[in-house]
Amino acid sequence: MKVANRYTLLALTTLFLGGATSCQDYFEQNTNPNLIANPPLSSLLSTTTQKTAYSSQRVANTTSYFVQYLAGPGAGGSTDTYQITDYTGTWDYVYFAMADLYDLKRRAQEQAASEYVGVADVMLAYHLNLIADTFGAAPFANAFDGTTLTPTYDSEETLYTTALSLLNESLTELAKTDSRLKLQEANDLIHKGSTAAWIKTANALKARMLNKISKKSSYSPAAVLDAVSKSYASNADDAQMSAFLLRNPWAQVARSNALLVLDGWLSTQLVNQLNGTNYGLVDPRIEKITDRTVNNTYVGTRNGQGNVGGNNTVKDEVYISLNSPLTGDASPLLIVTYAEMKFVEAEAAFRAGDRARAYTAYLAGIRANMDKLGVATAALDTYLAHPAVGVGADKLTLDLIFKEKYVVTYLNPEAWNDARRYDYQYKGFTLPLNAALPTFIRRVAYPNGETSKNGSNVPAEVPLSTPLWWDKP
């Protein structure tokens, strides 16, 4: 296969099941004998559905520190404290996944396989949002067409418009009934070959995007609610992936931590929201997210401070848990869920002035998330009945919606979008100790791998506290 530019690499054998792919030498040769010249669409579907979930996890492994789900075990960690950090590995992984998706879409169009075109569009839109919401402006329009080795950058707003157009196109393609090739259940690692499920996910991602611009004058609660109504109806609809070569990558973090390759410690912010410190109410989901310390308590680690109670070998603070249905060996990686959609609905309905619909969705979102985690019915009902949670429609606030959604999006990159839209107003949320910025982080710096190879097109760096376009009033 000819390597036409830096991004159009098909990193595929029959099925890709693993972590990051090295990109060092691929751009310096015309032919790679290990690559399949003309892979079938079914194989491309396998690799792209698997990579979509892995892309989500890789981005979340950075953004989860910004929203203080995770905290570094040592003092002054670069991601913890908003230092300029090189995320070349994440950037490359997402772009290689997009290259595979571009190839899937092109080949599907050539074969009049509209179902594959639609699915490729959904995943392309998702990856484009991952890049744009993390870094800002980025290459896309001429990044994969073979015309240049140094693709130009599309603006942040252009990338948003492009991703939304891809989702709208996906809905058109997936609605067609004359696809010459049907999705294969065994090769679709997210929705098992169901076009109806992919249509729901396209609408879920569309609802996310339309809700993300809540600070802009173009925000339309009605448009958000329309997309939500066409998305998920239950937890069974969730977009998730659980086909691993060995185990869920969050579980690998937990296992490595147990072997003193330290990572995956839970932040004080998350733990204090759940353990009763911030709200005077213990959230039963805490025992489904992490394990108690050796002192039979739930204690988090402050971002930027690291462990202060022991020598990093005593479990006196809490971590990502192998016992959690979210981070166990066989736990699925969640991309977008029904519970999240109920909170998107709650927020949009609240902004539209429909308190009754907002409150119903708010309660349904909590219930769906607790059901997903396996919380006992009695504990769930007790939580919902508590006067700090079951406040009634008239007393519902955006603060409560964002507070509960923060738990629902644990370890999901979408949580950082919410935190920025909400201006980090979560109760008890503070800057990391010795933060490199005077205020909360709003973007990350372009990676060294990109600046060294495409430097003439990379935008000038701005402070990491500079909001993205949708984050500005």
Side-chain angles (χ1 to χ4, degrees):
M1 179 180 68
K2 296 291 184 179
V3 180
N5 61 58
R6 293 199 306 110
Y7 296 124
T8 51
L9 169 69
L10 176 61
L12 174 70
T13 53
T14 302
L15 173 64
F16 182 96
L17 291 174
T21 302
S22 172
C23 60
Q24 180 61 36
D25 297 320
Y26 289 126
F27 309 124
E28 299 171 4
Q29 58 186 20
N30 288 329
T31 303
N32 186 332
N34 295 318
L35 298 181
I36 298 173
N38 189 27
L41 294 183
S42 57
S43 292
L44 279 166
L45 182 64
S46 295
T47 195
T48 53
T49 50
Q50 204 263 359
K51 280 188 175 182
T52 295
Y54 269 93
S55 292
S56 177
Q57 191 274 336
R58 289 179 72 92
V59 173
N61 203 26
T62 294
T63 61
S64 290
Y65 289 87
F66 302 152
V67 297
Q68 297 185 9
Y69 291 145
L70 302 180
S78 62
T79 299
D80 253 339
T81 58
Y82 307 160
Q83 297 174 44
I84 292 178
T85 305
D86 183 16
Y87 299 117
T88 293
T90 297
W91 173 281
D92 285 352
Y93 191 89
V94 174
Y95 265 100
F96 283 134
M98 281 199 283
D100 287 345
L101 286 163
Y102 184 89
D103 205 37
L104 170 61
K105 180 177 179 178
R106 178 177 58 83
R107 292 177 186 276
Q109 289 172 327
E110 292 170 352
Q111 298 175 54
S114 55
E115 292 185 3
Y116 285 88
V117 175
V119 169
D121 279 336
V122 175
M123 291 188 283
L124 270 173
Y126 181 70
H127 280 84
L128 196 54
N129 277 309
L130 286 178
I131 284 290
D133 291 339
T134 305
F135 297 93
F140 186 76
N142 66 341
F144 305 106
D145 61 10
T147 61
T148 179
L149 291 171
T150 54
T152 56
Y153 273 55
D154 298 345
S155 71
E156 297 171 12
E157 193 163 359
T158 296
L159 293 176
Y160 177 88
T161 302
T162 300
L164 197 57
S165 295
L166 285 167
L167 289 175
N168 287 330
E169 181 182 82
S170 77
L171 292 170
T172 299
E173 294 295 322
L174 289 167
K176 294 178 179 179
T177 59
D178 58 351
S179 182
R180 291 183 62 185
L181 291 173
K182 297 294 184 180
L183 298 177
Q184 298 297 307
E185 178 179 353
N187 297 99
D188 179 355
L189 305 183
I190 294 176
H191 283 313
K192 312 305 179 189
S194 169
T195 54
W198 279 106
I199 288 171
K200 290 180 180 181
T201 290
N203 279 297
L205 294 175
K206 185 175 178 179
R208 255 189 190 175
M209 290 190 66
L210 295 172
N211 200 48
K212 185 171 63 182
I213 59 171
S214 58
K215 291 184 177 181
K216 313 304 288 186
S217 61
S218 57
Y219 176 75
S220 170
V224 176
L225 293 172
D226 179 66
V228 167
S229 70
K230 298 170 183 175
S231 66
Y232 302 146
S234 72
N235 287 340
D237 291 330
D238 291 354
Q240 59 187 40
M241 197 284 301
S242 56
F244 310 117
L245 181 62
L246 184 60
R247 61 177 60 95
N248 180 309
W250 293 119
Q252 186 57 56
V253 171
R255 288 181 175 274
S256 296
N257 190 58
L259 297 173
L260 299 184
V261 180
L262 302 179
D263 197 4
W265 292 30
L266 300 192
S267 171
T268 297
Q269 177 62 34
L270 173 66
V271 175
N272 284 358
Q273 172 162 332
L274 299 172
N275 69 6
T277 299
N278 287 353
Y279 292 98
L281 167 67
V282 176
D283 189 322
R285 286 171 288 191
I286 193 169
E287 65 183 46
K288 301 296 183 178
I289 289 175
T290 191
D291 305 313
R292 293 177 181 270
T293 68
V294 292
N295 300 313
N296 200 35
T297 56
Y298 294 107
V299 177
T301 301
R302 182 180 175 186
N303 291 79
Q305 184 175 32
N307 178 274
V308 297
N311 59 2
N312 290 337
T313 63
V314 178
K315 298 189 69 171
D316 54 352
E317 296 179 8
V318 296
Y319 327 113
I320 286 176
S321 172
L322 288 170
N323 297 316
S324 171
L326 299 174
T327 52
D329 283 347
S331 299
L333 290 172
L334 307 182
I335 299 167
V336 57
T337 67
Y338 168 69
E340 181 194 335
M341 283 299 102
K342 299 314 289 182
F343 281 100
V344 172
E345 179 183 357
E347 180 184 345
F350 184 92
R351 294 185 187 277
D354 190 343
R355 294 292 186 92
R357 180 174 179 178
Y359 187 64
T360 298
Y362 158 82
L363 294 177
I366 298 172
R367 184 175 294 277
N369 184 238
M370 290 202 179
D371 285 343
K372 184 88 172 180
L373 293 177
V375 173
T377 301
L380 191 165
D381 291 341
T382 297
Y383 184 80
L384 289 178
H386 193 281
V389 178
V391 296
D394 291 342
K395 294 183 179 180
L396 182 66
T397 63
L398 280 176
D399 290 333
L400 279 171
I401 293 170
F402 274 94
K403 170 225 173 188
E404 290 292 340
K405 191 181 180 188
Y406 177 78
V407 184
V408 167
T409 53
Y410 170 63
L411 298 183
N412 192 301
E414 186 64 17
W416 193 30
N417 296 337
D418 285 341
R420 287 175 286 182
R421 291 193 303 113
Y422 189 48
D423 294 319
Y424 292 89
Q425 295 180 62
Y426 302 105
K427 187 173 183 179
F429 206 101
T430 59
L431 281 171
L433 188 66
N434 298 319
L437 299 174
T439 187
F440 298 112
I441 191 167
R442 314 302 272 222
R443 64 172 69 217
V444 302
Y446 291 107
N448 294 342
E450 175 68 4
T451 56
S452 66
K453 297 171 183 174
N454 197 20
S456 61
N457 290 315
V458 178
E461 288 291 359
V462 296
L464 303 189
S465 55
T466 305
L468 299 175
W469 79 273
W470 52 259
D471 193 20
K472 300 174 182 176

